[in-house]
């Protein structure tokens, strides 16, 4: 595409996931030409990678209203708004039709490799804001191309950059060498080959969020199946266990999210998984039989496991934005104005204050990180948050400041509590004498089959 006046250029949207496609729909409604660049072979490629996982949001909460208006002339009908789609349902019944409605405005097999200002690296000030953005892309067939844009909305997410097992944020020693027995996604245990990998095996699950809950519950279901005898889970937590460990339970305003935490708790209570607290993985070694041995920073060694599932969150890939002047929080790698609203060191639940284009802006005008990527390393992102983000951002790009500033967003409260930043927080509930220190790291079983222990429904 040749360079022309900035206003005549498209706005490039990076990523054809739910937030990127919604951004394109909002741009069209505002009369701004969108161009969506998707690295994967199909729209919503990342969502399709977890097609077996059920969302804890209903259809009513995962369809963008403006996108729905774009779909209406095609005869599209939203599925039952009170039901919970899987990732596959979301992709097939909504995201794919939306991409088709956007037609040639969505390009797949097109990976963005760099974004800058035309003729200006990040050092140059002169006439910078008058220059269009230049987006370098690599096509699946090896071709390279540059595309000029009036603005860039990065909705590429974080799916391709999962965090490692290592408690320091770096891969544990031996983690890469053991990669043939490590997964960084929730496995699909309905797939025969995957099911056989975990059936009858001892698997460590590292993480404390919704993905870890899903994996623990899935392993427990496998353990109870005829072909899963002997399946055991070892749940590795970097901090202690409290009443909020399993989320909001019955008081979660997203019932499916609360039920997910309770299912994970049941997996532990029924003896299908044991929890190891205060364990920050430093190394992954192999025993004489080739099984994996997790070693903590304090030197503790766990009994060998056959497989490891690492679900310690995700982090943004910022490498292709290196020539832009971004204002990112030094801890979360989220926009500096947004970071305090979502910082797990301060916020222990999924509640997020309303935010829009102002919190998402950067020193480099015209570039916005939205969706999961805008959260950097923070957890608990909801689709409805991203839809409100792009509504506000697109209004700002259209010059409608009044609408852009009128951010209205009410999120369900409670949810999965305590981000990774809180793993050192002392827990005193139930502690002898109410001591000020975190519970001693230990291999524990929270309950036995038939235990009368009450569910963790206290929330935040």
């Amino acid at each position: 595409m040749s360079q022309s006046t900035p206003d005549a250029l498209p706005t490039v949207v990076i990523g054809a996931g739910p937030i990127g496609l919604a951004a394109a729909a909002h741009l069209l409604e505002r009369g701004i030409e969108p161009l969506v660049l998707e690295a994967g072979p199909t729209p919503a490629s990342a969502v399709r990678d977890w097609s077996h996982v059920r969302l804890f949001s209903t259809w009513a909460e995962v369809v963008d209203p403006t996108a729905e208006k774009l779909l209406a002339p095609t005869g599209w009908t939203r599925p039952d708004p009170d039901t919970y789609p899987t990732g596959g349902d979301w992709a097939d019944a909504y995201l794919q039709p939306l991409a088709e409605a956007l037609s040639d405005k969505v390009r797949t097999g097109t990976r963005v490799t760099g974004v800058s200002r035309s003729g200006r690296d990040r050092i140059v000030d002169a006439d910078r804001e008058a220059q269009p953005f230049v987006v370098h892309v690599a096509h699946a067939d090896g071709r390279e191309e540059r595309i000029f844009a009036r603005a860039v909305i990065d909705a590429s997410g974080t799916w391709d950059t999962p965090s490692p097992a290592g408690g320091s944020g770096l891969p544990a020693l031996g983690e890469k060498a053991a990669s043939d027995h490590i997964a960084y996604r929730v496995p699909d245990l309905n797939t025969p080959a995957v099911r056989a990998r975990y059936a009858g095996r001892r698997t460590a699950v590292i993480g404390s969020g919704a993905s870890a809950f899903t994996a623990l519950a899935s392993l427990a279901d496998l353990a109870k199946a005829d072909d899963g005898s002997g399946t055991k889970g070892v749940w590795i937590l970097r901090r202690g266990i409290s009443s909020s460990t399993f989320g909001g339970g019955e008081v979660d305003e997203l019932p499916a999210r609360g039920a997910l935490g309770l299912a994970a708790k049941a997996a532990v209570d029924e003896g299908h998984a044991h929890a190891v607290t205060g364990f920050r993985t430093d190394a992954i070694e192999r025993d004489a039989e080739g099984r994996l041995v997790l070693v903590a920073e304090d030197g503790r060694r766990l009994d060998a496991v056959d497989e490891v599932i690492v679900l310690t969150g995700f982090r943004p890939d910022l490498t292709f934005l290196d020539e832009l002047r971004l204002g990112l929080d030094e801890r979360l790698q989220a926009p500096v104005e947004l970071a305090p609203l979502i910082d797990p060191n301060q916020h222990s639940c999924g509640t997020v204050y309303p935010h829009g284009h102002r919190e998402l802006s950067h020193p480099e005008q015209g570039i916005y990180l939205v969706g999961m990527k805008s959260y950097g390393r923070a957890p608990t992102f909801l689709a409805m948050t991203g839809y409100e983000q792009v509504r506000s951002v697109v209004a700002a790009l259209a010059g409608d400041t009044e609408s852009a500033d009128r951010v209205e967003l009410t999120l369900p409260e409670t949810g999965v509590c305590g981000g990774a930043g809180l793993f050192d927080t002392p827990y005193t509930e139930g502690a002898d004498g109410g001591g000020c220190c975190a519970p001693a790291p230990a291999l524990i079983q929270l309950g036995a089959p038939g235990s009368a222990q009450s569910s963790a429904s206290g929330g935040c």
Side-chain angles (χ1 to χ4, degrees):
M1 180 180 297
S2 61
Q3 183 175 354
S4 57
T5 60
D7 288 346
L9 296 173
T11 290
V12 164
V13 179
I14 306 174
I19 310 306
L21 293 175
H26 282 270
L27 287 164
L28 274 181
E29 185 181 55
R30 290 281 184 172
I32 302 172
E33 182 72 9
L35 178 59
V36 183
L37 305 178
E38 166 61 42
T42 65
S45 290
V47 175
R48 293 183 185 280
D49 281 350
W50 50 270
S51 61
H52 58 291
V53 177
R54 191 167 299 280
L55 283 73
F56 47 64
S57 298
T58 64
W59 272 111
E61 296 159 332
V62 298
V63 173
D64 177 76
T66 296
E68 188 169 7
K69 286 193 291 185
L70 180 64
L71 283 165
T74 70
W76 182 83
T77 302
R78 181 169 59 182
D80 184 346
D82 296 324
T83 60
Y84 297 88
T86 63
D89 297 334
W90 202 16
D92 291 338
Y94 168 59
L95 299 174
Q96 183 65 40
L98 178 56
E100 291 171 359
L102 289 165
S103 186
D104 60 358
K105 297 173 182 14
V106 178
R107 298 185 188 177
T108 58
T110 307
R111 179 175 295 279
V112 173
T113 59
V115 182
S116 185
R117 289 281 188 179
S118 180
R120 306 289 188 274
D121 63 21
R122 66 184 297 163
I123 299 175
V124 178
D125 290 332
D127 204 28
R128 185 178 188 86
E129 292 181 5
Q131 306 306 313
F133 290 94
V134 59
V135 181
H136 284 212
V137 300
H139 295 272
D141 60 6
R143 291 183 297 113
E144 293 182 318
E145 181 185 4
R146 64 178 180 181
I147 299 169
F148 294 97
R150 60 177 289 186
V152 175
I153 299 175
D154 184 356
S156 60
T158 57
W159 182 250
D160 289 337
T161 47
S163 296
S168 63
L170 301 173
L173 297 179
E175 183 172 346
K176 293 180 180 179
S179 61
D180 55 336
H181 289 283
I182 300 178
Y184 295 88
R185 310 288 191 276
V186 176
D188 182 1
L189 298 184
N190 292 319
T191 300
V194 177
R195 191 176 184 86
R197 175 174 174 176
Y198 296 96
R201 305 294 182 92
R202 179 176 162 89
T203 298
V205 177
I206 306 176
S208 59
S211 294
F213 292 169
T214 302
L216 289 167
S218 297
L219 290 171
D221 288 341
L222 177 58
K224 291 180 277 190
D226 291 341
D227 62 341
S229 178
T231 303
K232 289 290 183 181
V234 181
W235 186 21
I236 311 297
L237 298 101
R238 292 173 179 169
R239 53 192 175 116
I241 288 179
S242 77
S243 62
S244 64
T245 295
F246 297 95
E250 295 173 359
V251 299
D252 196 318
E253 291 185 17
L254 285 177
R257 182 172 61 183
L260 183 60
L262 295 178
K265 183 176 186 299
V268 178
D269 286 347
E270 295 169 4
H272 301 301
H274 287 78
V276 180
T277 62
F279 192 99
R280 300 169 206 164
T281 307
D282 183 63
I284 299 177
E285 301 175 354
R286 291 186 186 266
D287 66 8
E289 298 177 355
R291 302 175 76 203
L292 304 184
V293 177
L294 274 61
V295 183
E297 291 178 354
D298 60 12
R300 284 176 298 143
R301 304 169 65 88
L302 299 184
D303 291 340
V305 298
D306 301 289
E307 299 288 338
V308 177
I309 303 174
V310 180
L311 301 169
T312 53
F314 295 85
R315 52 188 59 180
D317 177 8
L318 301 168
T319 56
F320 60 86
L321 302 177
D322 194 49
E323 290 303 320
L324 298 179
R325 298 173 177 180
L326 302 182
L328 299 175
D329 180 77
E330 61 186 7
R331 296 164 300 168
L332 298 186
Q333 295 178 296
V336 291
E337 296 297 326
L338 175 60
L341 308 182
I342 60 175
D343 187 353
N345 289 288
Q346 303 295 328
H347 300 282
S348 60
C349 291
T351 301
V352 177
Y353 294 104
H355 64 277
H357 74 107
R358 295 195 184 277
E359 291 81 5
L360 297 169
S361 64
H362 295 274
E364 190 83 66
Q365 295 184 19
I367 173 72
Y368 294 95
L369 277 58
V370 299
M372 188 65 241
K373 190 163 186 177
S374 72
Y375 271 43
R377 299 192 182 199
T380 60
F381 177 81
L382 295 174
M384 63 183 85
T385 302
Y387 295 154
E388 179 59 18
Q389 286 180 341
V390 296
R391 185 206 63 78
S392 174
V393 164
V394 171
L397 291 174
D400 187 352
T401 304
E402 180 181 356
S403 178
D405 286 343
R406 192 178 61 250
V407 181
E408 300 175 359
L409 177 65
T410 302
L411 293 179
E413 294 189 9
T414 309
V416 179
C417 303
L422 298 178
F423 66 77
D424 277 329
T425 300
Y427 287 108
T428 59
E429 292 184 23
D432 293 338
C436 63
C437 301
L443 179 63
I444 63 173
Q445 180 173 331
L446 295 188
S451 170
Q453 186 177 9
S454 62
S455 64
S457 58
C460 301

